[in-house]
């Protein structure tokens, strides 16, 4: 297994991670390669009590982490393609939004779209978080929207080929 990327080679803002007692002993999220867009996050479920997700069912998986994301950024909770491909396991609300002012525990809403039970075990890398810059927009009510060449065409209006 490749070692997770060292902090020193990261160019970008700093996100704070507060570890809750049930994440004690688990590695903090980390980029698994130099160009990884997302940090893999781990399940902070008890060692002796894996979380079983039956086919078609969903579960909120604790990460044991509180994040301090810089203002003007968000955390996007995304599925891992390997889990999706091999087990049909995905993030139901993907991409989950972690707001910069959220100070609760980050949780991952997994759903099992596969046909077998899936056991989430302690320390399993269940999802990835991408940190991205976001903009808050001001709202201005207008009576008419300005014209464009597209107009109201959408939902396949330009064809498929
Ligand atoms: O996958 C996720 C999505 C959200 N959250 C946390 C962080 C986020 O800041 C908060 C609220 O998320 P969201 O705005 O998507 O949910 P809501 O249903 O609108 O809840 P709220 O009314 O609390 O905003 O829940 C997670 O831990 N994991
Ligand atoms: Mg909300």
């Amino acid at each position: 297994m490749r070692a997770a990327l060292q902090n020193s080679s990261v160019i970008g803002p700093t996100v704070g991670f507060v570890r809750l007692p049930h994440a004690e002993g688990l590695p903090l999220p980390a980029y698994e390669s130099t160009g990884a867009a997302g940090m893999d996050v781990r399940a902070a479920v008890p060692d002796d009590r894996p979380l079983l997700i039956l086919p078609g069912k969903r579960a909120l998986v604790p990460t044991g982490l509180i994040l301090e994301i810089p203002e003007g950024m968000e955390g996007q909770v995304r599925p891992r393609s390997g889990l999706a491909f091999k087990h049909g396991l995905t993030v139901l609300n993907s991409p989950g939004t972690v707001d910069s002012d959220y100070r609760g525990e980050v949780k991952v809403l997994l759903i099992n779209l596969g046909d077998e039970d899936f056991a989430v075990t302690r320390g399993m890398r269940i999802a990835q978080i991408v940190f991205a810059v976001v903009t808050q927009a001001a709202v201005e009510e207008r009576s008419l929207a300005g014209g464009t060449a597209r107009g109201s065409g959408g939902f396949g209006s330009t064809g498929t080929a």
Side-chain angles (χ1 to χ4, degrees):
M1 206 201 329
R2 216 174 316 159
L5 186 64
Q6 294 302 304
N7 244 349
S8 54
S9 37
V10 172
I11 304 162
T14 298
V15 172
F17 289 84
V18 174
R19 203 195 293 257
L20 296 167
H22 54 287
E24 214 48 62
L26 292 180
L28 287 177
Y31 295 110
E32 299 292 329
S33 70
T34 47
M39 286 183 182
D40 284 354
V41 289
R42 296 173 185 270
V45 295
D47 229 348
D48 56 354
R49 236 177 326 126
L51 200 163
L52 201 64
I53 311 177
L54 305 184
K57 299 296 181 190
R58 59 186 183 268
L60 209 46
V61 185
T63 65
L65 298 170
I66 295 173
L67 267 55
E68 216 171 331
I69 300 173
E71 237 177 85
M73 296 189 68
E74 62 159 337
Q76 302 173 352
V77 183
R78 301 189 191 176
R80 292 189 66 208
S81 63
L83 289 176
F85 179 58
K86 289 179 204 153
H87 305 284
L89 202 79
T90 191
V91 175
L92 180 56
N93 58 326
S94 180
T97 305
V98 182
D99 302 291
S100 65
D101 59 351
Y102 178 69
R103 292 295 178 269
E105 177 180 8
V106 170
K107 295 185 179 172
V108 177
L109 182 50
L110 290 180
I111 184 162
N112 182 355
L113 301 178
D115 41 26
E116 284 173 19
D117 296 359
F118 187 87
V120 176
T121 55
R122 183 171 181 77
M124 181 180 270
R125 288 179 289 136
I126 46 167
Q128 55 187 321
I129 297 194
V130 173
F131 294 103
V133 170
V134 286
T135 305
Q136 285 187 331
V139 173
E140 183 180 83
E141 186 167 359
R142 295 176 183 171
S143 52
L144 273 180
T148 65
R150 171 183 282 273
S152 59
F155 307 98
S157 69
T158 62
T160 48

